[in-house]
Amino acid sequence: MIGFDYGTSNCAVGIMTDGQPRAITLGDHGTYMASSLYAPDRDVIVNWLHKNINEPFRTEFKNKRGFLLSKGQEALEDLRYDGIPEHLSFGRFALERYLDDPSEGYYIKSPKSFLGTNGLLPAQIGFFEHIVAAMMAHVKNHVEADLGRSVDQVVIGRPINFQGRNAEQSNKQAIDVLTNAAKHVGYKDIEFQYEPVAAGFEYEATLTQETRVLVVDIGGGTTDCSMLLMGPEYVSKVERQDSLLGHSGKRIGGNDFDIQLALKGIMPNLGMTSELDSGKPMPVSSYFQAVAINDVNAQSDFYSAENGRFLQQLKRDAKSPELVERLLKTYREKLSYQLVNSAEQGKIQLTDHQQLAVDLSYLDQGLQQDISRELMAEANQHQLNHIVELMHEAVEQAGCQPEVIFVTGGTAKSPVINGHLKQQFGDIPVVIGDHFGSVAAGLTRWAGNIFR
């Protein structure tokens, strides 16, 4: 039995050992695998998945996916003819292959962000199911290699809401995708737990008395808050409904902070704040679409042939066409993820630096852009205010004030973010948890409780 944090930014797995959660090493990824996948062709993902799941699931999968497997086989033959490696890559190795040639292959970061998207067609939902299953199969293979035995019981973390709109329908769609993917790779007993509640379970293990805890989990894709009644007397209980006092959640996370920093700090170098020859401001919709890596429809619109023609005309109409040429280069070479990755790496470095220069030489030789903590705070004021609103919403649902605020999630590591949160609740102590490990550890504890 394992706890599986299938996160927007990272994947982590734990198992109970001597009464404590232990992080499982996922091969060369270490204990955390970045939630990224690279395929030389998107059609071959289903074929890789078919090869990497065990019987009887493999036969059942083939019976249901015969057409897609045939289509993928044709793509594999083309790759072999061209001498292109046909294997999939995951985590940082996926990013390395993408950055090696962004215009080739298929790269996706944070597929969890797409699972609850409204308006997805059945074929798109099936495609995301294959992506998630491929990642789960890769992780499961490493887990079983580490443990030396098969694993078929899992607790998977989930946000309060995958999307803001049509939350009930969105949540069902996303949970269905995750459940089907988990079944494909051989999990038999599959349970879900709210990620902030799981993080709370890990904090609960440190408590010596009953305490009202506001858990704030700022992940890569969502921010989730839970007001929990916790303490030693609750640790081993399976029924916890009476101690779960209030929940709130919204699709605001690390990806959004990266995107907003990219818009404010990087996109002016591509002409976003420039003018047309007519003196009118530059139309900005394509700039937003270019960096909206967590929005399927926006990315489809940006990389459409119609938008390519629009960008060509935009360059002709621009007062600074050399800047718009960089946006055209982004379009031609599929650099969206690289732009947002530059912002993300800058955000991470701002944890230890007040200001730094971001390398943008892939757009133009020698191009750099200075960014700062102040710029990040300005770019993300809207997101910061929304997180505070979510905290108050969970408290209002609970009908009582927290005695401690426990903040976790990779994005909360930023001084810009945790500094803003500490200002909001007066003298209530704020505890900063294990930024990446709290959810996985709590899911593991819950797996130990419900599967014992």
Side-chain angles (χ1 to χ4, degrees):
M1 62 189 76
I2 59 169
F4 185 7
D5 180 12
Y6 180 69
T8 304
S9 297
N10 293 283
C11 296
V13 178
I15 188 169
M16 293 299 290
T17 303
D18 297 327
Q20 295 296 322
R22 173 179 73 83
I24 294 175
T25 300
L26 306 175
D28 292 338
H29 301 290
T31 51
Y32 300 104
M33 184 188 87
S35 299
S36 302
L37 176 148
Y38 179 92
D41 187 296
R42 58 178 285 163
D43 287 336
V44 307
I45 295 173
V46 67
N47 299 73
W48 183 95
L49 180 58
H50 178 245
K51 279 186 178 180
N52 285 272
I53 55 180
N54 298 322
E55 293 290 2
F57 308 101
R58 183 180 297 173
T59 298
E60 181 183 353
F61 188 84
K62 183 177 181 179
N63 292 338
K64 292 181 178 179
R65 305 294 199 278
F67 171 75
L68 294 175
L69 287 167
S70 296
K71 187 178 178 184
Q73 191 59 43
E74 293 177 5
L76 283 170
E77 290 171 3
D78 289 341
L79 292 171
R80 291 165 188 159
Y81 179 80
D82 294 332
I84 298 173
E86 60 190 63
H87 66 280
L88 271 56
S89 295
F90 302 87
R92 62 184 172 86
F93 305 107
L95 178 61
E96 289 171 2
R97 283 182 75 182
Y98 162 72
L99 293 177
D100 187 53
D101 189 352
S103 64
E104 295 294 333
Y106 177 83
Y107 174 76
I108 184 167
K109 175 186 177 182
S110 309
K112 184 180 176 183
S113 297
F114 300 101
L115 303 187
T117 301
N118 291 292
L120 290 182
L121 299 174
Q124 292 175 301
I125 294 173
F127 179 59
F128 284 119
E129 190 177 296
H130 295 156
I131 290 173
V132 174
M135 295 177 71
M136 284 187 173
H138 181 72
V139 169
K140 191 170 189 283
N141 290 341
H142 281 304
V143 168
E144 293 178 343
D146 180 272
L147 298 178
R149 62 182 184 275
S150 63
V151 175
D152 59 13
Q153 294 179 312
V154 62
V155 174
I156 301 172
R158 57 154 293 182
I160 304 297
N161 291 308
F162 285 84
Q163 297 278 346
R165 293 174 298 164
N166 302 321
E168 186 175 344
Q169 178 183 343
S170 168
N171 290 339
K172 182 182 184 306
Q173 176 179 289
I175 292 297
D176 285 347
V177 170
L178 290 168
T179 301
N180 291 336
K183 288 179 178 177
H184 286 322
V185 304
Y187 289 114
K188 296 176 182 176
D189 297 323
I190 304 162
E191 298 289 341
F192 291 90
Q193 180 57 269
Y194 287 140
E195 288 158 355
V197 174
F201 290 155
E202 179 60 9
Y203 179 64
E204 183 175 50
T206 69
L207 296 176
T208 58
Q209 63 184 25
E210 183 178 283
T211 306
R212 296 187 304 275
V213 182
L214 173 60
V215 180
V216 184
D217 178 21
I218 309 175
T222 59
T223 292
D224 299 289
C225 301
S226 289
M227 267 288 288
L228 309 169
L229 193 59
M230 316 203 87
E233 65 269 39
Y234 298 99
V235 168
S236 60
K237 289 186 177 181
V238 174
E239 296 297 330
R240 296 290 302 257
Q241 291 306 312
D242 291 343
S243 63
L244 308 183
L245 307 178
H247 303 289
S248 63
K250 197 168 186 179
R251 189 178 166 181
I252 304 167
N255 286 346
D256 300 283
F257 283 88
D258 302 336
I259 288 168
Q260 293 303 317
L261 184 58
L263 283 168
K264 188 77 173 180
I266 294 177
M267 296 311 268
N269 293 281
L270 287 72
M272 182 173 172
T273 55
S274 63
E275 295 182 343
L276 302 175
D277 271 333
S278 64
K280 293 182 178 180
M282 181 67 64
V284 297
S285 60
S286 290
Y287 291 92
F288 281 89
Q289 291 167 352
V291 294
I293 60 169
N294 57 358
D295 187 327
V296 175
N297 297 323
Q299 287 281 280
S300 296
D301 289 344
F302 180 73
Y303 287 108
S304 67
E306 180 183 2
N307 192 51
R309 293 189 291 270
F310 172 75
L311 295 180
Q312 290 283 3
Q313 185 61 50
L314 201 63
K315 179 182 174 182
R316 289 191 286 269
D317 295 341
K319 187 173 290 186
S320 302
E322 72 281 2
L323 298 183
V324 181
E325 170 58 29
R326 293 170 181 167
L327 183 62
L328 261 169
K329 183 174 184 178
T330 300
Y331 170 84
R332 289 193 299 265
E333 299 183 13
K334 299 181 180 177
L335 298 177
S336 288
Y337 281 104
Q338 195 158 2
L339 284 170
V340 179
N341 182 65
S342 295
E344 180 186 11
Q345 296 308 310
K347 177 192 73 176
I348 292 170
Q349 292 179 58
L350 286 174
T351 301
D352 299 316
H353 301 87
Q354 290 284 345
Q355 183 172 328
L356 56 94
V358 174
D359 179 18
L360 301 175
S361 58
Y362 55 86
L363 290 174
D364 233 336
Q365 187 174 1
L367 181 64
Q368 291 186 328
Q369 174 63 52
D370 288 337
I371 62 170
S372 64
R373 289 182 183 175
E374 290 73 22
L375 177 68
M376 181 177 166
E378 180 184 348
N380 285 286
Q381 192 62 46
H382 187 65
Q383 282 67 32
L384 290 168
N385 291 338
H386 269 308
I387 291 174
V388 173
E389 289 173 8
L390 288 172
M391 295 169 70
H392 285 292
E393 183 181 333
V395 171
E396 288 172 10
Q397 279 188 31
C400 57
Q401 289 294 312
E403 296 171 279
V404 64
I405 299 171
F406 179 65
V407 183
T408 188
T411 305
K413 192 174 183 180
S414 166
V416 172
I417 297 168
N418 62 49
H420 184 81
L421 300 187
K422 287 178 180 178
Q423 298 172 4
Q424 305 306 313
F425 282 79
D427 296 329
I428 298 175
V430 176
V431 175
I432 305 298
D434 181 342
H435 293 294
F436 296 109
S438 296
V439 172
L443 293 171
T444 302
R445 289 183 183 277
W446 189 239
N449 271 2
I450 65 174
F451 291 134
R452 60 187 174 186

